[in-house]
Amino acid sequence: GNLGVGAIPLLSGMLESDQEPAGFWTAAMNNVWRDNVAVTGSDGWYFQLPGTPISHSIDVYKDTICPVGDRIGEWSRNRCHHTTGTCIRVYLTWKPTKDPCNELSGENPQILFNTTCWGVGNNCFSALKMGSIHNHHMTAIEGFGGPDWTAIKFHRTDSFSGGKWPTDYVGIPHIK
């Protein structure tokens, strides 16, 4: 695993996410995230997923690489400690489909295993729009901000989950 500590804002950054730094930032979900820890900073993980690659130098892949619809390689045993924002933040949309570049190909359910959020300022998981994303064995301890798990808009059709998104969730409030 990796350790991301104390990410600081890049005030002259080019992307909105440069001003809300994360221990781990990516524009491509298809990675293996195992045994990582994000400490302090704004967010633990910041996923800013474009519909197609943002670089003109790889425009040749614009019809075959579509991060917003891609799967996650693996997510297991990741932790956030004392971030001011969110542990896992999906900026705008993550709607994984069987063919990432064809949103009509059917949803491709993704499971994030064993996430621990301790003393986060906002949420354990947050997305503006999302498809079939499931958090199994998510634990929130002493959160200081909003609800532990939020999504603004679900893109849902017929899902195997029957409408249940977080499963095996444990929430432990701030102890005074």
Side-chain angles (χ1 to χ4, degrees):
N2 297 293
L3 177 63
V5 179
I8 57 172
L10 180 60
L11 299 177
S12 62
M14 296 171 52
L15 300 172
E16 182 177 329
S17 59
D18 291 337
Q19 303 192 17
E20 297 180 26
F24 303 95
W25 181 98
T26 189
M29 289 306 280
N30 198 349
N31 288 289
V32 173
W33 303 94
R34 186 184 310 136
D35 297 318
N36 297 292
V37 179
V39 181
T40 67
S42 180
D43 298 309
W45 279 262
Y46 195 109
F47 298 117
Q48 188 167 355
L49 308 173
T52 59
I54 340 177
S55 172
H56 293 293
S57 63
I58 57 175
D59 273 350
V60 68
Y61 300 109
K62 70 180 179 189
D63 296 325
T64 58
I65 298 176
C66 304
V68 75
D70 209 354
R71 66 181 184 86
I72 197 160
E74 178 186 340
W75 180 277
S76 62
R77 300 181 309 272
N78 293 296
R79 302 180 306 279
C80 291
H81 299 275
H82 298 90
T83 61
T84 59
T86 298
C87 183
I88 306 166
R89 181 176 181 184
V90 177
Y91 181 67
L92 293 187
T93 304
W94 181 25
K95 187 182 174 190
T97 53
K98 292 175 185 168
D99 174 353
C101 294
N102 179 359
E103 66 181 45
L104 300 177
S105 66
E107 65 184 17
N108 184 8
Q110 300 299 299
I111 299 175
L112 285 64
F113 288 101
N114 300 319
T115 304
T116 301
C117 308
W118 177 32
V120 296
N122 201 354
N123 314 89
C124 265
F125 181 91
S126 179
L128 293 178
K129 299 176 189 172
M130 61 182 261
S132 184
I133 313 300
H134 307 269
N135 289 288
H136 285 247
H137 308 288
M138 175 183 275
T139 303
I141 303 167
E142 297 186 351
F144 296 103
D148 294 320
W149 190 87
T150 62
I152 306 304
K153 183 176 180 182
F154 292 103
H155 287 276
R156 307 293 298 172
T157 54
D158 296 320
S159 172
F160 75 91
S161 71
K164 297 177 185 174
W165 293 284
T167 59
D168 298 327
Y169 170 78
V170 175
I172 300 170
H174 185 70
I175 301 168
K176 295 180 181 181

